[in-house]
Amino acid sequence: MNSAARIEAFLEMMSAERGAAENTLSSYRRDLEDASGEIDGGLAGAAVADIRAYLDDIAARGFAPTSQARKLSAIRQFFKFLYAEGLRGDDPTGTLDSPKKGRPLPKTMSEAETGRLIDRAAQEACDAGLGNGDRLAALRLHALVEVLYATGLRVSELVGLPVTVAQRDDRFFMVRGKGDKERMVPLSAKARAAMRTWLAARAGVPAFADSPFLFPAASDSGYLSRQVFARDLKGLAARAGIASGKISPHVLRHAFASHLLQNGADLRAVQQLLGHADISTTQIYTHVLEERLVRLVNDHHPLAD
């Protein structure tokens, strides 16, 4: 049985025994036939070196790591089938590593864009022409944006803050994050002021009187939902002249971390502020550190151009 016949047998098994969808079968066919056409003697008889050479070739052709991983997955499935059916006595993919996909760099905002966003929120919070409902929403949004950029909290941590955070008026507060772990987070003077202003407005709403949350809402959780905050944030961005597709609560969290690192903060300190259990999670920001080091050398080395 040649490679083409064995690929057909594999696809029949995937369809009959595993109920693979037509699109999945077509994808497997393309990937396996492409590999078979590139390997001398066809895919079914390939050795480990043949498959490794094929993977190196598709990488050199510019295939994305995700595409390389998909092709290797199809080849692995194919050889598992051959081995299970007794058509091969070994599986040449057993020692092959999957291509490293890499972690995409997080979306972020420049310091100037972040400043425009916060200035717009502050301006709207001070607009005396707003009706009571709109003014309340503007004060809430200003407090949310100031606190998020000042602390880098996860959006779930932010919207669920207890009201006692604002009542204490401390420069630091304790936040309970992932894994029920507590961490200490510093608050800027502007964030504390925005929270105090919101707290005063919140006190004038009878429905909020008994709520334990800083940002109460008529929801199952009892506090503002992440989706409502994300929607309001996008609207604010549009009014500040920033593309709404560029911003989300998570983007502001990334801006907090990136801007700290750009201005000299230590990666370990940023890890603690973000509440990352492992430094490897924070290392998505190493590109910021690299840029800072290059700038440092270019600005201060006596032989730099």
Side-chain angles (χ1 to χ4, degrees):
M1 191 185 294
N2 61 24
S3 287
R6 291 185 176 184
I7 289 172
E8 289 299 331
F10 166 72
L11 294 174
E12 286 175 13
M13 180 277 295
M14 291 294 290
S15 175
E17 295 183 16
R18 301 192 188 176
E22 194 61 40
N23 286 345
T24 302
L25 294 173
S26 297
S27 177
Y28 275 128
R29 181 184 296 280
R30 284 194 303 271
D31 289 339
L32 295 175
E33 288 180 349
D34 178 67
S36 194
E38 295 293 328
I39 294 172
D40 289 340
L43 180 61
V48 176
D50 296 323
I51 299 171
R52 187 171 283 121
Y54 169 71
L55 294 173
D56 290 342
D57 177 62
I58 61 175
R61 281 193 264 160
F63 280 87
T66 49
S67 297
Q68 296 173 44
R70 190 200 69 234
K71 287 176 179 291
L72 177 57
S73 176
I75 293 170
R76 284 191 201 279
Q77 295 265 17
F78 176 61
F79 280 108
K80 282 181 182 177
F81 164 74
L82 295 184
Y83 182 78
E85 293 293 313
L87 298 173
R88 270 195 73 137
D90 66 325
D91 179 356
T93 66
T95 59
L96 295 176
D97 294 328
S98 294
K100 296 290 187 291
K101 295 183 182 180
R103 300 187 67 172
L105 296 180
K107 285 183 181 180
T108 189
M109 300 170 66
S110 69
E111 291 183 41
E113 287 174 322
T114 309
R116 283 213 318 273
L117 186 79
I118 293 175
D119 287 347
R120 180 71 192 196
Q123 176 189 334
E124 292 182 1
C126 294
D127 187 349
L130 294 175
N132 288 339
D134 289 340
R135 177 165 167 72
L136 193 70
L139 290 170
R140 183 182 68 186
L141 185 55
H142 181 218
L144 284 161
V145 172
E146 287 280 12
V147 174
L148 179 53
Y149 184 58
T151 62
L153 292 178
R154 297 179 180 92
V155 63
S156 57
E157 296 168 344
L158 174 65
V159 295
L161 282 173
V163 70
T164 51
V165 166
Q167 290 170 336
R168 283 195 298 264
D169 196 29
D170 293 336
R171 290 192 304 159
F172 294 86
F173 66 85
M174 300 301 294
V175 60
R176 193 174 297 277
K178 279 188 175 179
D180 211 29
K181 293 181 180 177
E182 280 194 331
R183 68 184 187 278
M184 189 168 64
V185 179
L187 272 176
S188 67
K190 288 178 67 180
R192 293 202 310 275
M195 283 209 301
R196 283 197 303 271
T197 304
W198 161 247
L199 195 63
R202 177 189 179 283
V205 181
F208 294 166
D210 296 325
S211 173
F213 299 109
L214 180 58
F215 303 106
S219 64
D220 292 340
S221 64
Y223 53 78
L224 183 73
S225 73
R226 295 175 299 166
Q227 294 81 0
V228 169
F229 174 41
R231 182 200 66 201
D232 291 349
L233 185 61
K234 286 182 179 294
L236 177 67
R239 295 191 298 276
I242 301 166
S244 59
K246 186 176 182 178
I247 191 169
S248 70
H250 207 57
V251 168
L252 261 185
R253 174 171 155 89
H254 287 314
F256 161 83
S258 296
H259 299 169
L260 278 178
L261 291 167
Q262 285 167 4
N263 287 284
D266 176 75
L267 193 66
R268 288 271 178 196
V270 173
Q271 175 196 357
Q272 292 177 345
L273 291 170
L274 292 174
H276 288 163
D278 193 325
I279 190 68
S280 64
T281 308
T282 320
Q283 284 170 344
I284 56 174
Y285 298 106
T286 50
H287 68 289
V288 178
L289 292 176
E290 289 164 4
E291 291 167 7
R292 194 177 84 195
L293 290 173
V294 169
R295 192 167 63 247
L296 179 70
V297 171
N298 288 340
D299 290 348
H300 298 288
H301 196 285
L303 298 183
D305 292 336

